[in-house]
Amino acid sequence: MPLTPAILDWPAQPLRDRVVVITGGAQGVGRGIAQSVLGAGGSVMIADLDADAGKACLTEWALPERAAFQRADVASERSVQALMKATLKRFGRMDGLVNNAGIASAHGTPLAEMPLAEWQRRLSSLHGAFLCSKHALPALREHAGAIVNIASTRAWQSEPDSEAYAAAKGGLVAFTHALAVSEGPAVRVNSISPGWITTDAWQAPSRRRTPKLSRRDQAQHPVGRVGQPPDIGALAVFLLSDLAGFITGQDHIVDGGMTRKMIYAE
């Protein structure tokens, strides 16, 4: 009798009973990812340098059983170790890690004038991904976990005076496929490269404001609008879940089609 492929149920909450650590998770894209994980049934440990933003998240979410905050500096190994220890103490397990923390501004000092200290500081997202992955891997291996690194379309295209940012984000893409090969099949590793994501409404309450976007800003995207944090959160949830069980070592561009659009000065 021939085998008949079954129609499988689509999980309504694909991260139910999963625990995800999200660095830079109290604001911006990180908060968007955290709220998407919560909406998908998961629990989150958000890590951020901004304690006020972190506490505001917990107050506004009002989900004490599924959300916790730890102030952390991903460039400090001691701080990262404390973050992972706090996560396991609070939730008892770890199923996912989102390496999102880093300097938001792409533009720095012109390279010929840039001090080495600034260069190193602007690579913090790459250093943080290394340290957080290093100390999360033992727990992730126990539950066939997943890592999602937040890179950028600036890993693929550039503007002037963005060398350090591009190096950090390009390094994250390469780090992603190298770690995926090293850790497979126990842990899957993917990256997301966001394009223009407006985060004005996703900051701490004192800095929150309505985005000021022109029609031109919106229209230059093939999808007709600028991106928002939940656009990244939706893909992060998928990559963290079993639905993406055959996907690892890949970079996923989420930019409303901008990197596929030819732009010529007329």
Side-chain angles (χ1 to χ4, degrees):
M1 186 175 182
L3 296 175
T4 302
I7 297 175
L8 302 177
D9 291 336
W10 195 270
Q13 292 194 310
L15 295 182
R16 182 178 292 279
D17 300 324
R18 307 288 179 91
V19 176
V20 180
V21 176
I22 303 164
T23 67
Q27 49 201 333
V29 167
R31 176 165 178 161
I33 294 172
Q35 292 191 190
S36 295
V37 170
L38 290 169
S43 298
V44 297
M45 170 65 84
I46 55 171
D48 207 290
L49 278 171
D50 190 330
D52 289 338
K55 293 173 184 176
C57 285
L58 299 188
T59 299
E60 292 174 340
W61 294 339
L63 293 169
E65 294 183 358
R66 295 200 290 127
F69 167 71
Q70 172 90 357
R71 188 179 186 278
D73 178 1
V74 298
S76 163
E77 188 158 19
R78 180 176 296 179
S79 183
V80 168
Q81 287 175 302
L83 168 63
M84 301 310 166
K85 184 178 180 179
T87 301
L88 294 175
K89 182 178 180 180
R90 173 68 176 78
F91 294 107
R93 60 184 291 156
M94 190 187 309
D95 303 272
L97 167 66
V98 178
N99 287 311
N100 169 71
I103 294 174
S105 174
H107 301 281
T109 304
L111 191 68
E113 305 164 18
M114 182 180 290
L116 179 59
E118 181 182 344
W119 174 267
Q120 293 282 22
R121 183 174 62 85
R122 288 186 171 276
L123 294 180
S124 61
S125 60
L126 183 57
H127 300 327
F130 155 65
L131 288 173
C132 290
S133 299
K134 173 184 175 180
H135 292 289
L137 278 169
L140 293 175
R141 289 169 183 154
E142 292 183 13
H143 300 286
I147 296 173
V148 175
N149 297 315
I150 304 302
S152 170
T153 50
R154 290 177 184 271
W156 306 106
Q157 53 184 182
S158 293
E159 293 179 305
D161 302 326
S162 63
E163 290 85 2
Y165 190 89
K169 297 304 186 178
L172 276 171
V173 172
F175 175 75
T176 293
H177 61 68
L179 187 59
V181 172
S182 297
E183 288 299 318
V187 177
R188 294 181 301 102
V189 188
N190 289 283
S191 61
I192 300 175
S193 285
W196 184 353
I197 307 296
T198 180
T199 61
D200 304 79
W202 293 78
Q203 304 300 322
S206 62
R207 297 191 301 276
R208 199 173 295 164
R209 62 186 178 86
T210 301
K212 295 181 179 180
L213 298 168
S214 68
R215 289 185 179 180
R216 184 179 180 181
D217 293 335
Q218 308 279 16
Q220 66 179 300
H221 293 76
V223 299
R225 65 174 177 84
V226 175
Q228 300 180 23
D231 293 318
I232 308 304
L235 181 55
V237 165
F238 173 72
L239 292 173
L240 290 164
S241 77
D242 291 340
L243 293 169
F246 197 56
I247 302 174
T248 195
Q250 306 300 313
D251 182 57
H252 305 266
I253 294 176
V254 183
D255 70 342
M258 282 293 288
T259 54
R260 291 301 189 190
K261 182 180 178 182
M262 289 185 176
I263 302 174
Y264 295 108
E266 297 181 355

